[in-house]
Amino acid sequence: MLLGILLMILTLYGLLLFWIVNEKLKETGVLIREVGRKLEEVEKKLSLLLESGDEGGENTSREAVEEHFSFRLLQREKKEEKGE
């Protein structure tokens, strides 16, 4: 009898742990999808920046623009998201 009660308690505890882990995995999946979506947006903006060239209007090679690119644009976007 005591062994049966112990077995039921362990089974319920295992089910509870499974449920908690499952919920955490769902939350993690949602966060990963959100980060992936934001990464795609950043890639689009970066490609537009690289296509536009320097601020002075000069057309330079892609490597030169990548060397001079600063993260001010990304920092500005991050501040705008926090302000929302």
Side-chain angles (χ1 to χ4, degrees), residues 7-46:
L7 185 61
M8 286 191 313
I9 290 172
L10 287 175
T11 304
L12 290 175
Y13 183 70
L15 288 173
L16 179 66
L17 285 177
F18 175 77
W19 178 70
I20 291 171
V21 168
N22 191 27
E23 290 298 316
K24 291 293 182 181
L25 287 175
K26 285 180 185 178
E27 290 175 10
T28 304
V30 169
L31 289 174
I32 289 173
R33 281 192 297 273
E34 184 178 328
V35 167
R37 183 183 51 80
K38 288 182 180 181
L39 180 62
E40 288 176 0
E41 291 175 6
V42 169
E43 286 177 348
K44 287 178 186 177
K45 290 179 181 180
L46 183 60

Side-chain angles (χ1 to χ4, degrees), residues 1 32 44 50-51 54 57 59 67 71:
M1 170 124 172
I32 289 173
K44 287 178 186 177
L50 292 175
E51 290 173 0
D54 284 341
N59 288 332
E67 289 175 4
F71 289 95

